[in-house]
């Protein structure tokens, strides 16, 4: 099974557990970490909008909890033609991307719709500075 296939299955399973009583729009995300772990997350809505959590944010939290901090590949899955990460999630993914060329696959329930690199999705995101100037 390819990395994409494993991530697709994990994102699809995560989507099924999403808590989306307001929008009825379930999203799942799965990440492959640089140390070989696969973690996933789902969107969790909240009546105090926008206090919910996107699937990508949930997956990142699970990744950090599992002891990893670098992402090598991502699948985001929803029942939509093309559900790319929102702006905030693009920045969150960028924060943990192992490099600017990681693949971010966007899928629907049938399969892959399109693949982007981190650079394509967020060409001018905030960058972590190695040194802080006084």
């Amino acid at each position: 099974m390819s990395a994409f296939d494993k991530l697709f299955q994990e994102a699809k399973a995560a989507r099924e557990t999403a808590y989306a009583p307001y929008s009825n729009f379930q999203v799942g995300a799965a990440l492959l970490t640089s140390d070989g772990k696969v973690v996933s997350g789902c969107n969790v809505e909240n009546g105090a909008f926008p206090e919910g959590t996107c699937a990508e944010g949930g997956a990142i939290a699970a990744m950090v909890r599992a002891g990893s901090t670098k992402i090598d590949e991502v699948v985001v899955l929803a029942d939509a033609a093309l559900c790319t990460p929102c702006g905030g999630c693009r920045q969150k993914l960028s924060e943990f991307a192992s490099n600017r060329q990681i693949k971010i696959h966007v899928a629907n329930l049938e399969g892959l719709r399109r693949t982007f690199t981190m650079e394509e999705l967020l060409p001018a995101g905030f960058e972590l500075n190695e040194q802080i100037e006084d």
Side-chain angles (χ1 to χ4, degrees), residues 10-26:
E10 290 291 325
K12 194 171 186 180
R15 180 192 167 275
E16 292 300 317
T17 64
Y19 179 76
Y22 305 103
S23 70
N24 293 313
F25 188 72
Q26 297 171 291

Side-chain angles (χ1 to χ4, degrees), residues 35 60 85-86:
D35 54 356
I60 289 169
C86 70

Side-chain angles (χ1 to χ4, degrees), residues 8-128:
F8 178 84
Q9 291 304 319
E10 290 291 325
K12 194 171 186 180
R15 180 192 167 275
E16 292 300 317
T17 64
Y19 179 76
Y22 305 103
S23 70
N24 293 313
F25 188 72
Q26 297 171 291
V27 182
L31 315 174
L32 174 63
T33 67
S34 293
D35 54 356
K37 295 174 188 158
V38 173
V39 295
S40 61
C42 61
N43 61 316
V44 177
E45 295 179 347
N46 188 285
F49 184 80
E51 295 304 317
T53 304
C54 294
E56 300 91 331
I60 289 169
M63 175 190 72
V64 171
R65 173 66 181 98
S68 301
T69 58
K70 292 293 177 193
I71 300 168
D72 281 355
E73 196 166 352
V74 178
V75 169
V76 178
L77 184 145
D79 188 14
L82 194 65
C83 181
T84 62
C86 70
C89 285
R90 291 176 191 206
Q91 181 61 45
K92 289 174 190 174
L93 291 167
S94 178
E95 179 86 13
F96 293 98
S98 60
N99 64 69
R100 302 287 295 153
Q101 299 308 311
I102 69 164
K103 292 178 183 175
I104 301 167
H105 308 286
V106 177
N108 66 12
L109 298 175
E110 281 73 51
L112 179 66
R113 302 298 298 159
R114 187 162 171 199
T115 298
F116 299 89
T117 65
M118 188 76 257
E119 182 67 30
E120 289 172 323
L121 281 181
L122 190 68
F126 294 107
E127 296 294 330
L128 180 64

